[in-house]
Amino acid sequence: MEIQHQRGVGNSKVVKVQNEEAWELFTNQASNEGRPVVAHFGASWCVTSLSMNYKFEELAQTHPEVLFLFVDVDDIQSVSSKYGVKAMPTFFLIKNKEVVSKIIGANPDELKKLVDASADPLPSEAQIVVE
């Protein structure tokens, strides 16, 4: 499967998800690799969503351990519905295919905090320690 990046940004680290199958592939692969996913649900016509593209790309450049996905809600309505996206932009931090946190709206500072928190271990009794 070919990975297409967002247009307009050279050497983009953000992956534009083309369909539901691609979403499943990317999130499964990230889960298998133990990589967190930060997903931006937006739309090409939504000015506030577009205004966050630069910050999202900037965070993707500085956090190579995180998989950054962009989902156009008009292109992939099934995934947007599954995650209950009602406003754009909406951002999710996903670990092991589970939503850990969510931001609704264009808030660059909160988005940075969400991405920075992606490195935190999951609060769980069954943490696996590798020595």
Side-chain angles (χ1 to χ4, degrees), residues 11-126:
N11 197 23
S12 175
K13 302 290 185 204
V14 176
V15 179
K16 185 174 192 299
V17 180
Q18 299 295 324
N19 52 44
E20 187 174 359
E21 293 77 26
W23 172 263
E24 291 299 323
L25 182 78
F26 291 134
T27 54
N28 284 333
Q29 184 177 341
S31 179
N32 291 340
E33 294 172 359
R35 284 178 81 184
V37 174
V38 176
H40 171 187
F41 284 77
S44 58
W45 50 264
C46 178
V47 175
T48 52
S49 182
L50 294 174
S51 73
M52 289 296 289
N53 283 346
Y54 179 80
K55 184 65 176 179
F56 199 61
E57 179 63 46
E58 182 182 273
L59 290 166
Q61 297 281 347
T62 57
H63 293 76
E65 73 287 356
V66 177
L67 178 59
F68 287 81
L69 300 178
F70 176 79
V71 176
D72 188 312
V73 297
D74 293 326
D75 292 345
I76 317 176
Q77 293 177 348
S78 57
V79 175
S80 304
S81 295
K82 177 180 170 185
Y83 285 86
V85 174
K86 304 230 184 304
M88 276 84 57
T90 298
F91 298 90
F92 292 96
L93 171 57
I94 300 168
K95 291 184 179 181
N96 299 324
K97 300 191 75 178
E98 297 292 326
V99 173
V100 177
S101 55
K102 169 174 142 178
I103 299 170
I104 299 172
N107 189 328
D109 294 335
E110 286 302 311
L111 179 59
K112 182 176 183 332
K113 285 181 197 169
L114 180 130
V115 172
D116 289 343
S118 70
D120 296 342
L122 283 174
S124 159
E125 300 300 319

